[in-house]
């Protein structure tokens, strides 16, 4: 069976009788088996996926199939799927079975998506390389010695390696966009509150967004259309109407775009990424768009602000994993205090423990005002300055990452280098705005380069339409 790049292609062959949902699912299951060395999946729902495929085939014949009929989806191991395992790729949730469907998962099931399995991630979505998973590192399909990015690395590789059409991940500081850039696919994060977080294991609640990883803008838009919108179970979700994103993908007119000077001039950004970004800027100018360099005076404060606030929120959110209610409980405990200490010490991985400790520190009585309160004030300034820029420009353009995919183990001894992998992506989460990473060529080693676009709050339709325009323009130029 051929590789499909969009649901539209699949639907064409389904309607023509060339394939069925069952044969398509069997194809993806064979690919999962053939690509098992990539370690992208924690659990594969083979028989269940085939049974669902048969049901969807019958619905297609009867003319009652939902919007996502024919779409095979992978779920990051932080999304609740009723009666299925859920671990956040951590030993502390070993053996835990979800008691309900998260809202996003429920909505794709109702539209006849076929869920093929749950995919590995950095433990509790904390990481930029997918090396922190309790199940071991995930490997990039372009070069198996390299990381896929994180934390949604397994979900990115799932799409990259053709084991599913679309994956749902989570994005707290770039965890969908950064691995999408490393894996040469599309990674989309909506406006904060656009998608309900009910059923998403929390890392940092004021940053977390469910995100979409795909190979086409059309599939990204359709998935967003299905899962976005008001939800009684999430008090933070927006009640704004959900546009028909999938039918609003035509971009007309000329855009006004800004980009950060540092993104194309700083030595901290790999030379080939700078060149690819500059080439894209030159193309846009040649096509009649306005593209201007701007300064972002708060750039140096973005990363420290992000890590102070997210570790603080993580310290609070992860306090519930204590061995009392569910998940792992240490067998070495002798009393209540030792049960708490040993369960958390044995159950959590090194990176998670580090971030909990950092968060507890910045929330402590002696340092709360010096760190946490100050970081909240800086976050507000970052948001306000970003809104000011986007009131003057349609989009902000910059590379998704500073480097292409690095070797497994390269940054494990240097946490600062690991954290710097997110320097261009955390901005959108701090400001709460939508952002997308699209493929932007490859370097001399054949490693993928990503281009990131950020747009105004709740203007996902415009951002997706312009991204679709860029991809189509690039395809035309490569013909």
């Amino acid at each position: 069976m051929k590789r499909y790049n969009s649901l539209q292609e699949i639907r064409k062959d389904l309607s023509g009788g060339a394939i069925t949902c069952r044969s398509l699912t069997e194809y993806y299951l064979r690919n999962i088996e053939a690509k098992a060395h990539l370690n992208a999946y924690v659990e594969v729902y083979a028989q269940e996926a085939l049974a669902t495929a048969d049901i969807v085939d019958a619905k297609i014949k009867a003319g009652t199939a939902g919007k996502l009929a024919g779409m095979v989806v992978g779920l990051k191991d932080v999304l609740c799927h009723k009666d299925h395992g859920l671990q956040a790729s951590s030993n502390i949730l070993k053996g835990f079975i979800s008691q309900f469907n998260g809202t996003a998962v429920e909505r794709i099931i109702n539209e006849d998506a076929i869920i093929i399995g749950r995919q590995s991630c950095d433990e509790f979505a904390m990481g930029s390389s997918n090396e922190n998973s309790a199940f071991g590192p995930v490997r990039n399909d372009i070069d198996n010695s390299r990381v896929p990015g994180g934390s949604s690395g397994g979900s990115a590789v799932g799409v990259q390696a053709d084991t599913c059409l679309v994956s749902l991940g989570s994005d707290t500081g770039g965890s969908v966009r950064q691995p999408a850039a490393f894996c040469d696919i599309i990674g989309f994060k909506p406006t904060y509150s656009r998608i309900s977080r009910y059923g998403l294991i929390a890392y940092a609640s004021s940053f977390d967004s469910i995100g979409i990883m795909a190979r086409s803008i059309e599939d990204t838009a359709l998935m967003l259309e299905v899962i976005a919108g008001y939800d009684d179970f999430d008090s933070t979700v927006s009640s704004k109407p959900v546009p028909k994103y999938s039918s609003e993908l035509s971009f007309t007119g000329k855009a006004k775009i800004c980009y950060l000077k540092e993104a194309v001039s700083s030595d901290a950004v790999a030379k080939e990424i700078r060149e690819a970004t500059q080439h894209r800027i030159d193309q846009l100018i040649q096509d009649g768009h306005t593209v201007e360099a701007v300064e972002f005076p708060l750039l140096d404060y973005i990363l420290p602000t992000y890590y102070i606030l997210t570790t603080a929120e993580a310290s609070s959110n992860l306090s519930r994993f204590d061995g009392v209610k569910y998940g792992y409980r240490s067998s070495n405990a002798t009393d209540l205090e030792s049960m708490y200490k040993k369960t958390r010490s044995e159950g959590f991985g090194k990176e998670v423990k580090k971030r909990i400790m950092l968060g507890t520190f910045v929330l402590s009585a002696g340092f709360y005002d010096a760190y946490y309160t100050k970081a909240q004030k800086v976050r507000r300034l970052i948001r306000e300055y970003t809104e000011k820029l986007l009131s003057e420009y349609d989009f902000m353009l910059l590379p998704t990452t500073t480097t292409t995919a690095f070797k497994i183990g390269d940054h494990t001894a240097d946490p600062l280098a690991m954290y710097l992998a997110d320097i261009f992506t955390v901005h959108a989460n701090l400001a709460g705005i939508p952002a997308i990473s699209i493929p932007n060529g490859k370097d001399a080693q054949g490693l993928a380069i990503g281009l990131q676009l950020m747009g105004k709050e709740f203007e996902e339709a415009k951002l997706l339409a312009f991204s679709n325009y860029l991809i189509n323009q690039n395809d035309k130029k490569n013909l």
Side-chain angles (χ1 to χ4, degrees), residues 19-40:
I19 61 169
T20 61
C21 288
R22 170 172 269 271
S23 67
L24 180 67
T25 305
E26 288 172 339
Y27 165 75
Y28 284 128
L29 289 170
R30 286 195 299 272
N31 286 354
I32 290 173
E33 190 174 344
K35 300 281 187 175
H37 61 281
L38 299 176
N39 201 30

Side-chain angles (χ1 to χ4, degrees), residues 4-15 19 21 24 28 56 60 66-73 111-114 165-166 214-220 222-223 226 246:
Y4 290 100
N5 291 312
S6 70
L7 183 59
Q8 188 177 17
E9 292 178 9
I10 289 171
R11 288 267 176 85
K12 185 179 177 182
D13 282 0
L14 282 171
S15 62
I19 61 169
C21 288
L24 180 67
Y28 284 128
V56 177
I60 290 171
K67 288 182 180 179
L68 302 183
M71 182 179 281
V72 177
V73 181
E111 292 293 343
D112 292 326
I114 299 164
L165 185 66
V166 174
R215 287 200 291 276
S216 77
I217 294 292
E218 293 86 357
D219 289 351
T220 305
L222 181 62
M223 180 61 83
V226 168
S246 61

Side-chain angles (χ1 to χ4, degrees), residues 120-122 127-133 136-138 147-155:
S120 183
C121 59
D122 281 307
S128 304
S129 63
N130 221 140
E131 294 172 279
N132 298 330
S133 172
V138 176
V147 304
S151 63
S152 307
S155 299

Side-chain angles (χ1 to χ4, degrees), residues 270-338:
K271 183 173 180 286
E272 286 173 285
I273 292 179
R274 296 200 309 268
E275 289 172 349
T277 307
Q278 185 63 58
H279 179 64
R280 182 66 76 149
I281 290 168
D282 294 341
Q283 279 185 336
L284 286 165
I285 294 170
Q286 187 180 334
D287 291 341
H289 302 282
T290 300
V291 188
E292 297 174 349
V294 296
E295 291 185 350
F296 198 89
L298 298 168
L299 187 63
D300 290 345
Y301 302 101
I302 285 178
L303 214 55
T305 300
Y306 170 79
Y307 277 103
I308 287 170
L309 295 178
T310 56
T311 55
E313 293 186 25
S315 172
S316 176
N317 279 328
L318 271 62
S319 64
R320 71 193 69 177
F321 303 106
D322 54 13
V324 176
K325 296 177 281 294
Y326 42 70
Y328 174 78
R329 179 183 293 178
S330 175
S331 58
N332 301 315
T334 54
D335 56 23
L336 185 62
E337 185 178 348
S338 69

